[in-house]
Amino acid sequence: MRYLNYLFLLQYKPTIKRQVLGFLVLFLTLCSNAEGQTNTLNKSSINLQETNGPRWVKGELVKAGVLNTPDFSFTDDFGAYQQFSNIKGLFFNGLDYNGKQTKVFCWYGVPNGLKTGEKRPAVVLVHGGGGTAFPGWIKEWTDRGYIAIAVALEGQVPGEKVEHSNGEKLWPGHEFSGPRRIGFFEDVVTKKLEDQWFYHAVADVMLATSLLKSFPEVDVESIGISGISWGGILTNVITGIDDRYAFAIPVYGCGFLHETPHYSSLLTHLNKEQRQFYLQNWEPSLYIPLQEHPTLFVNGTNDFHFTMNSFTKTYETSKNEKHLYVEHNMKHGHSPGWEPEEIYAFADYVVKKGTQPLIPRFKRLRKNNELVYGYNGKVTKVYLYYTTDTADWGRDNYTWEQTTMHFSDSKKIISGKLPENSQAYFVNIIDSEGLMYSSPMRMVKKNSH
């Protein structure tokens, strides 16, 4: 029963359990006659009496018109920054900000050689903090046969970064810009929902999706979404309330941010009302159990912002088809975030009937510390990663050690010795095409295997 996914919310602190229980009761009532039905994103599915949580946010966005095709126009104003002939700029109308109409800049690209009447799969690209709409990111997708749209989420337009009086370097903006991000949700409560940056960012991505669906060259059943860092956070939230995506690939960004060293510290800068608003309305872990599409979760072992404890918990909370790519010491950034070939292979698997990703499945950890996994497909290499210290997930000297494991393609078994004093571990397997996929991290239970 899909609504039972909400039970995971009860892990939150007692200060918000009362609200969560109230929400659960209301949701059970609404869904009591809907068992087995497919969730659709339409106005009739929204209970507008709710005043917090994903259904309330979804209702406000639907009322604002994010499912409608926005007015748009292509632009040649930024020809100096048009790096590729198959990628061009456009503006579409965003939601009102402070009572005034906004416009959102995007780069839009199609594969070279696209024929009239031909349809291709597409992807919406969601940048992270300090980023913008990157033509190079679009080209990675168009070179592989996808249509792609990259959305500038803080009112940016192409150009060089400009240093402001406070020393911060920002991308240039324009007169119809929406809000910029203010720290870690520092504008919640201080501004109405419809004027908060995160609300506009979610809306802009959903509007870009609505725009894609209106283009005749787009296969509307094969639209995916991929976001990097803050874009990964947004991807996890958006796909919990918008079921129009065929696949999702959040990179770095995850849920349970209040359990990471970095973001839990930033949350202390908010007052009690702001923290509660975030936990009840924007925390990605509220949205992840609502997702219905195949997802590839991508991260590095030592990411400062999105640590392995919260990242793994995000993966485990997901109820849909899911796969993992965890790179040892992966750098944090936009370019490193779109480089892994596994990202594009995963999209091909979903919308082009490509090869299914390898799935290492934990079988047992014996008393002699022998670790056993099963797998599917053809394997060429297997690596075990383990750490002997999980006291502080964000500590600078936190390390993962690598060792090889044995595997049998005839028996589809992986085996190896887990070193003594290991506290957490996971496995990476590499297939015959050199693609790498990961098992979820597991914690070692003391005196129990």
Side-chain angles (χ1 to χ4, degrees), residues 8-9 12 54 184-185 198 233 236-237 254-259 263 267 275 277-288 314:
F8 88 100
L9 295 172
Y12 284 135
F184 186 73
F185 294 95
F198 200 82
I233 295 173
N236 281 311
V237 168
C254 63
F256 302 97
L257 300 179
H258 52 290
E259 297 180 21
Y263 289 115
L267 274 172
R275 289 195 297 271
F277 188 96
Y278 166 75
L279 289 170
Q280 289 183 280
N281 295 288
W282 290 133
E283 183 14 67
S285 56
L286 298 169
Y287 294 80
I288 291 162
T314 298

Side-chain angles (χ1 to χ4, degrees), residues 188-410:
V188 298
V189 178
T190 64
K191 292 187 177 183
K192 296 181 294 185
L193 178 72
E194 60 267 28
D195 290 328
Q196 295 174 19
W197 171 76
F198 200 82
Y199 177 84
H200 274 264
V202 170
D204 291 346
V205 174
M206 294 177 72
L207 284 165
T209 306
S210 298
L211 181 60
L212 271 186
K213 288 174 68 69
S214 73
F215 290 162
E217 63 268 27
V218 172
D219 178 355
V220 298
E221 299 300 321
S222 301
I223 298 175
I225 182 173
S226 183
I228 293 175
S229 196
W230 268 96
I233 295 173
L234 283 160
T235 296
N236 281 311
V237 168
I238 291 163
T239 50
I241 56 177
D242 189 342
D243 61 4
R244 296 177 294 174
Y245 302 102
F247 63 84
I249 307 171
V251 181
Y252 311 121
C254 63
F256 302 97
L257 300 179
H258 52 290
E259 297 180 21
T260 67
H262 178 59
Y263 289 115
S264 62
S265 175
L266 292 180
L267 274 172
T268 64
H269 299 165
L270 306 183
N271 63 39
K272 181 179 179 180
E273 187 181 8
Q274 287 176 308
R275 289 195 297 271
Q276 183 170 319
F277 188 96
Y278 166 75
L279 289 170
Q280 289 183 280
N281 295 288
W282 290 133
E283 183 14 67
S285 56
L286 298 169
Y287 294 80
I288 291 162
L290 306 178
Q291 298 164 350
E292 297 183 340
H293 46 267
T295 301
L296 174 66
F297 294 93
V298 177
N299 202 3
T301 55
N302 293 72
D303 196 86
F304 172 75
H305 301 275
F306 305 100
T307 47
M308 286 288 283
N309 59 325
S310 291
F311 176 75
T312 303
K313 200 169 182 179
T314 298
Y315 171 84
E316 292 172 343
T317 298
S318 173
K319 305 300 180 185
N320 48 291
E321 180 183 352
K322 54 192 175 182
H323 302 271
L324 272 174
Y325 173 93
V326 181
E327 181 180 322
H328 188 214
N329 293 330
M330 181 180 183
K331 293 181 179 179
H332 186 100
H334 284 94
S335 181
W338 71 57
E339 284 178 357
E341 195 60 39
E342 289 78 358
I343 289 172
Y344 310 99
F346 177 74
D348 287 351
Y349 156 66
V350 177
V351 301
K352 296 183 180 181
K353 298 181 179 180
T355 303
Q356 183 181 23
L358 293 176
I359 304 174
R361 301 186 186 280
F362 174 81
K363 285 185 171 292
R364 56 190 171 273
L365 177 59
R366 295 194 175 107
K367 289 184 178 180
N368 64 354
N369 264 23
E370 184 186 8
L371 186 59
V372 181
Y373 279 80
Y375 65 93
N376 61 319
K378 176 72 174 178
V379 168
T380 60
K381 294 179 182 178
V382 184
Y383 296 101
L384 168 67
Y385 292 91
Y386 65 95
T387 180
T388 58
D389 182 5
T390 58
D392 182 356
W393 293 103
R395 202 172 66 187
D396 290 340
N397 61 352
Y398 177 72
T399 58
W400 288 88
E401 303 295 337
Q402 174 187 293
T403 185
T404 56
M405 297 186 75
H406 305 290
F407 62 92
S408 167
D409 258 339
S410 59

